[in-house]
């Protein structure tokens, strides 16, 4: 029989949010154990040897939000071995007519350097759009920082007011921004925002494709801020950890273990231990029991509901968050060369290759997804970090990730993903080849992650990489449901929620893990204070103490 154990906190799930929570708790002096069903550390932030000598990410590749959160610095992850390669240029959008010497043949290149970005926009789209983009970054930089601050705190009204209220204040000689204008910008659609600011469809398509990475189409309410996030990338760009995305979670594990924490892989949490209406620990699949007064469930909220079983209170038992019908399809390609885009140098391979020149293509793909169909015209986003990180593949070999969004998990015609995978991977590769001629011929092998395989490989129900849809109705205090929006589980003391199911949602941010840890520590301090007051009151009631 496996040996039982005790801890102050058990964290369920060794994804990056679970590890972030564990690190903050261990640094505060608590005994922390992380349990994980997978043999691979990191969940969707992990890297494996997919082909001999070739390291391939299983989920995320470019890290954006965590680089604006302060978590990397607070946990001193650089000392734990984390090193980022900056994605700079961070974005590239090809010309609609590759090789055309005219304006339509010039690509768009988005760099940290705002002047260089505006020069690229001016050459491809005209001076008016370049000036508009400069002004857009000036306006949305402070707004993006407010969003980042809101993401880093609990989604309560007070924290949201603190984050967003200063945006209306007069600054730089300009009058106060009316609240109605701010409301229209934040609650409106990304498409409407882009149409107000810019004239060039090429520029609008590139920014819309970047913003759409969270899932909703840019025609949906509340998506404007997803476009506005680009302003922050002129301060700190996305990054790719040296050695692959799993470099982040490997560093988190080293930090945790240096502070006395422990990670157990390959032994899933099987059920929560509950006594007297509160959590008392976790039992794992091997039968091991870990006694702890606190459990942080950094897994999918539906997995948490299953762990609680009959002990789930109504807020958890009745949770029906919107999972959607899949999210996307990924092709991990082993190639003998990175993509080569006409009119662009190799520097553009550093970041996100936003291969879309017209928002109509995005709208059509989203419409197909809503109807349960495969996209008639796939829309790729390509990443080729092996061009700047030689630890990923041996000489003469490269890893290119091609992301295709809005692929349904369940197809309306009942088709089987096992039979469709290779053909759809071929269509995505061909879509890249349209902008980078010769790319298809460079592909030596592929590993295809359909929505079904994403569910099976990374425990993502319905293949949704964000756990729960990222629409306005399931964000902030409504995520994953209004009853569970505060990271605690009402009716089951000792159980806390973290992970992409909770605020602020999917993507590599670590914010929900840090927020959950802060709540655990705050509740411990509160209980300690109450206990101390009760002891003091009891002492005063003793004879001779009056």
């Amino acid at each position: 029989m496996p040996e039982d154990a005790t801890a102050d906190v058990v964290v369920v799930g060794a994804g990056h949010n679970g590890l972030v929570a564990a690190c903050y708790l261990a640094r505060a002096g608590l005994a922390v154990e992380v349990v994980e069903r997978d043999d691979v550390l990191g969940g969707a932030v992990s890297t494996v040897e997919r082909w001999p000598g070739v390291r391939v990410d299983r989920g995320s590749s470019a890290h954006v939000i965590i680089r604006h959160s302060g978590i990397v610095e607070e946990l001193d992850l650089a000392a734990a071995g984390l090193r980022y390669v900056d994605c700079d240029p961070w974005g590239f959008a090809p010309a609609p007519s590759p090789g055309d010497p005219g304006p339509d043949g010039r690509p768009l290149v988005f760099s940290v350097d705002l002047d260089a970005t505006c020069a690229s926009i001016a050459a491809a789209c005209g001076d008016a759009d370049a000036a508009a983009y400069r002004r857009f970054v000036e306006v949305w930089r402070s707004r993006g920082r407010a969003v980042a601050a809101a993401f880093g705190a609990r989604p309560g009204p007070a924290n949201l007011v603190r984050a967003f209220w200063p945006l209306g204040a007069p600054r730089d000689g300009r009058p106060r921004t009316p609240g109605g204008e701010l409301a229209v910008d934040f609650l409106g659609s990304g498409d409407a925002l882009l149409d107000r600011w810019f004239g060039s469809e090429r520029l609008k398509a590139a920014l819309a494709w970047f913003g759409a990475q969270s899932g909703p189409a840019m025609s949906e309410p509340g998506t404007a801020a997803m476009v506005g996030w680009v302003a922050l990338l002129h301060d700190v760009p996305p990054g790719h950890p040296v050695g692959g995305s799993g470099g982040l979670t490997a560093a988190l594990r080293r930090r945790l273990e240096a502070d006395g924490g422990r990670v157990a892989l390959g032994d899933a949490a099987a059920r929560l231990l509950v006594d007297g209406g509160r959590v008392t620990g976790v039992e794992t699949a091997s039968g091991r029991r870990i006694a702890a007064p606190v459990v942080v469930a950094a897994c999918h909220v539906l997995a948490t509901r299953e762990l609680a079983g009959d002990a789930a209170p109504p807020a958890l038992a009745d949770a029906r968050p919107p999972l959607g019908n899949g999210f996307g399809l990924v092709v991990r390609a082993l190639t003998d060369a990175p993509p080569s885009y006409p009119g662009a140098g190799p520097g553009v391979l550093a970041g996100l290759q936003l291969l879309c020149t017209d928002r109509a293509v995005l709208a059509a793909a989203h419409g197909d997804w809503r109807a349960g169909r495969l996209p008639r015209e796939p829309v790729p986003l390509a990443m080729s970090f092996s061009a700047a990180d030689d630890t990923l593949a041996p000489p003469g070999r490269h890893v290119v990730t091609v992301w295709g969004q809005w692929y349904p998990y369940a197809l309306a015609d009942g088709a089987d993903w096992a039979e469709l995978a290779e053909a759809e991977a071929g269509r995505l590769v061909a879509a890249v080849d349209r902008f980078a001629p010769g790319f298809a011929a460079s592909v030596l092998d592929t590993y295809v992650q359909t929505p079904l395989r994403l569910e099976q490989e990374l425990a993502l129900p319905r293949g949704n990489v964000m756990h729960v849809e990222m629409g306005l109705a399931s964000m902030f205090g409504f995520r994953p449901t209004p009853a569970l929006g505060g990271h605690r589980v009402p009716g089951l003391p000792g159980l806390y929620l973290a992970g992409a199911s909770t605020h602020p949602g999917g993507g590599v941010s670590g914010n929900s893990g840090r927020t959950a840890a802060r709540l655990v520590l705050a509740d411990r301090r509160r209980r300690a204070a109450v206990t101390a007051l009760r002891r003091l009151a009891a002492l005063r009631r003793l004879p001779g103490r009056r």
Side-chain angles (χ1 to χ4, degrees):
M1 288 291 291
E3 185 178 348
D4 292 345
T6 60
D8 293 318
V9 182
V10 176
V11 176
V12 178
H16 81 286
N17 275 299
L19 292 170
V20 165
C23 285
Y24 277 96
L25 294 168
R27 296 212 108 184
L30 276 61
V32 183
E33 179 157 351
V34 181
V35 295
E36 168 59 51
R37 69 168 186 92
D38 203 338
D39 292 324
V40 178
L41 180 80
V45 184
S46 57
T47 306
V48 297
E49 187 177 34
R50 188 66 67 193
W51 298 283
V54 181
R55 297 183 57 76
V56 179
D57 296 331
R58 295 202 305 167
S60 67
S61 289
H63 298 181
V64 180
I65 302 174
I66 196 168
R67 303 198 78 196
H68 296 265
S69 70
I71 290 171
V72 171
E73 294 76 19
E74 289 170 6
L75 294 177
D76 194 12
L77 294 181
L82 176 64
R83 184 161 67 90
Y84 275 113
V85 176
D86 284 347
C87 299
D88 189 18
W90 53 259
F92 162 76
S97 306
D100 183 343
D104 281 348
R106 295 176 182 173
L108 286 168
V109 181
F110 299 89
S111 308
V112 173
D113 185 334
L114 182 58
D115 290 338
T117 301
C118 290
S120 175
I121 294 171
C125 306
D127 292 338
D129 272 325
Y133 184 83
R134 185 183 297 277
R135 173 70 179 136
F136 180 81
V137 171
E138 291 172 358
V139 169
W140 275 90
R141 182 175 270 139
S142 60
R143 295 180 180 185
R145 289 170 181 161
V147 172
F151 280 5
R154 288 187 69 208
N159 287 332
L160 292 176
V161 168
R162 275 194 291 269
F164 290 102
W165 180 259
L167 292 179
R171 60 164 53 90
D172 300 330
R174 295 192 296 271
R176 172 176 290 278
T177 303
E181 180 180 325
L182 288 172
V184 166
D185 277 354
F186 277 100
L187 299 178
S189 72
D191 277 343
L193 181 76
L194 291 167
D195 286 338
R196 285 199 301 275
W197 278 89
F198 307 113
S200 166
E201 181 56 34
R202 289 187 56 198
L203 177 58
K204 289 188 278 190
L207 297 177
W209 189 208
F210 172 85
Q213 298 307 304
S214 292
M218 289 296 100
S219 57
E220 295 187 11
T223 54
M226 297 175 184
V227 174
W229 192 274
V230 301
L232 293 184
L233 304 189
H234 294 287
D235 296 329
V236 179
H240 181 75
V242 172
S245 190
L248 169 61
T249 44
L252 286 166
R253 181 178 188 172
R254 287 190 288 268
R255 169 58 60 218
L256 172 63
E257 292 176 340
D259 289 328
R262 183 173 183 273
V263 178
L265 299 177
D267 192 15
R271 69 183 182 98
L272 295 179
L273 302 177
V274 178
D275 185 30
R278 69 168 297 117
V279 165
T280 59
V282 165
E283 182 176 344
T284 70
S286 68
R288 182 166 173 257
R289 294 166 69 93
I290 310 168
V294 171
V295 172
V296 176
C299 49
H300 198 285
V301 65
L302 297 186
T304 306
R305 187 176 69 192
E306 292 177 7
L307 291 175
D310 293 340
L316 185 59
D318 298 336
R320 299 292 184 273
L323 302 186
N325 186 24
F327 196 95
L329 181 146
V330 196
V331 179
R332 313 285 181 177
L334 173 65
T335 72
D336 60 17
S340 178
Y341 298 98
V348 301
L349 300 177
L352 309 179
Q353 295 145 46
L354 303 159
L355 307 184
C356 178
T357 60
D358 192 324
R359 287 176 296 169
V361 180
L362 299 177
H366 187 263
D368 287 335
W369 172 77
R370 289 184 65 87
R373 298 189 301 256
L374 297 172
R376 285 163 286 181
E377 183 176 346
V379 191
L381 180 150
M383 293 173 282
S384 36
F385 295 123
S386 58
D389 180 1
D390 60 11
T391 69
L392 298 177
R397 295 292 182 265
H398 286 274
V399 179
V400 180
T401 292
V402 184
W403 167 257
Q405 196 159 296
W406 299 316
Y407 280 77
Y409 172 84
L411 291 150
D413 61 4
D416 185 349
W417 265 116
E419 297 175 359
L420 295 173
E422 294 304 323
E424 285 308 304
R427 293 178 69 220
L428 265 175
V429 167
V432 176
D433 191 83
R434 176 190 162 209
F435 295 106
F439 173 68
S442 76
V443 175
L444 305 173
D445 204 350
T446 60
Y447 180 77
V448 187
Q449 292 172 295
T450 66
L452 179 60
R453 180 169 280 179
L454 287 169
E455 178 183 65
Q456 296 166 339
E457 185 176 0
L458 299 176
L460 298 168
R462 298 185 71 79
N464 190 336
V465 298
M466 301 293 178
H467 283 204
V468 175
E469 287 191 299
M470 298 279 283
L472 187 60
S474 53
M475 293 295 286
F476 295 98
F478 301 121
R479 189 174 188 87
T481 66
L484 297 173
H487 292 270
R488 298 184 183 94
V489 176
L492 193 52
L495 179 60
Y496 298 78
L497 302 179
S501 298
T502 66
H503 171 75
V508 182
S509 80
N511 278 312
S512 73
R514 178 174 59 183
T515 296
R518 287 172 172 172
L519 283 173
V520 170
L521 296 173
D523 288 349
R524 283 177 60 90
R525 290 191 295 268
R526 190 176 300 110
R527 286 194 297 271
V530 169
T531 300
L533 288 172
R534 286 174 177 169
R535 287 176 177 169
L536 181 60
L539 284 172
R540 287 177 175 172
R541 289 195 296 270
L542 291 174
R545 290 282 180 175
R546 293 186 180 180

